[in-house]
Amino acid sequence: MVKIGAVEVGDFPLLLAPMEDVSDPPFRALCKKHGADVMFTEFISSEGLIRDAGKSVQKLDFFEYERPLGIQIFGNEISSMREAAAISAAANPDIVDINYGCPVKNVAGKGAGAGILRDIPKMVEMTAEIVKAVDKPVTVKTRLGWDEESKYIVEVAERLQDVGIQAISIHGRTRKQMYKGSADWSLIADVKNNPRMKIPVFGNGDVDSPQKALEMKNTYGVDGLMIGRASIGYPWIFREIKHYLNTGEMLAPPTLEERVQACRTHFEMALDWKGTQLGINETRRHYTNYFKGISHFKEYRTKLVTSNEPEEIFDTLDEILERFADMEMAYPY
């Protein structure tokens, strides 16, 4: 049984990666239903939290059924991060997670997210202060380094463990790579195989099929997998990976009826959670993946992403169910 501090997370846990504007409560609910073991919130600005900004504070909310769940924070000021960690811990998650991996310019360029990989001493100091500030297990999500010349993740992971983190998730790219090229898991394995490392090491990057999940587990020996982009519009990836790891057999892909129902549930929860307009706008990014691989779908996709009335969207989902009822579904990978 893998543990993050005292929190049991399964024998080989599958973690839902924190993704901005994606891993909100509606999306997390579907991933949990289909097998994700550990949830993480969207990343939350430390400055937003300490200033009580509505959007940041709302991201602290979660449902009991999501546990174990981590609240993820980011920022570049140690004092703000320490205070934000305490606010996050007061919301009573199971884990407080630090984002040291976001590569986007308006985060990393300001020294937050992956930007802190250019200042390892500050990264270690910030982590130590956060560990001291909360009574929850603290974890870190990070990358191999800032660029090819600064892939110090083996040393960094050891130093972060020494100041008290309880698990680390490593994306197998540098900040400079963003999401391009292939993830390099060899350094993730080096972290895991470092005899001084005693905490769980989770691998992240390019896990987009059950076969790839098995390859990463067997080749690199990680304690679990963090899955991000492959889950967008396809929460079934978690159950498919688990079944394949346990049996060596592939589950049948979700039926059209399952896809439509999941999409409907997602949209209904988004409307309840965010209100009509935001619920409509922020669900649009998911439709393509829910129905990926269906031929002659352009007309319906256009309706889904241009409709501004909930009833129109629900009607379109009913049309899809009727129009493609006899089509055999395929995997998206």
Side-chain angles (χ1 to χ4, degrees), residues 181-193:
S182 298
D184 176 8
W185 282 61
S186 62
L187 282 175
I188 303 176
D190 288 346
V191 174
K192 176 58 190 173
N193 294 328

Side-chain angles (χ1 to χ4, degrees), residues 33-53:
K33 177 181 178 181
H34 293 292
D37 294 298
V38 184
M39 305 284 108
F40 288 93
T41 64
E42 302 169 80
F43 71 171
I44 307 175
S45 162
S46 58
E47 299 296 334
L49 272 188
I50 66 177
R51 287 166 173 73
D52 204 30

Side-chain angles (χ1 to χ4, degrees), residues 206-222:
D206 298 348
V207 180
D208 55 9
S209 70
Q211 294 89 340
K212 196 70 176 284
L214 181 63
E215 176 190 345
M216 297 314 192
K217 179 186 180 188
N218 289 346
T219 305
Y220 302 104
V222 290

Side-chain angles (χ1 to χ4, degrees), residues 171-190:
H171 183 97
R173 291 181 173 86
T174 63
R175 186 274 171 178
K176 188 174 181 180
Q177 285 180 273
M178 302 293 286
Y179 295 100
K180 298 175 182 176
S182 298
D184 176 8
W185 282 61
S186 62
L187 282 175
I188 303 176
D190 288 346

Side-chain angles (χ1 to χ4, degrees), residues 217-234:
K217 179 186 180 188
N218 289 346
T219 305
Y220 302 104
V222 290
D223 294 292
L225 303 173
M226 179 174 275
I227 298 167
R229 287 175 291 170
S231 67
I232 300 176
Y234 200 77

Side-chain angles (χ1 to χ4, degrees), residues 18 40-44 70-74 96-99 141:
F40 288 93
T41 64
E42 302 169 80
F43 71 171
I44 307 175
I71 290 175
Q72 189 188 75
I73 57 174
F74 77 97
V96 173
D97 187 69
I98 312 172
N99 183 312
K141 169 97 187 317

Side-chain angles (χ1 to χ4, degrees), residues 118-137:
R118 290 183 289 184
D119 190 346
I120 302 304
K122 181 179 179 181
M123 183 187 195
V124 174
E125 182 185 355
M126 181 182 288
T127 305
E129 289 297 311
I130 290 170
V131 169
K132 288 185 284 187
V134 302
D135 61 355
K136 305 287 183 183

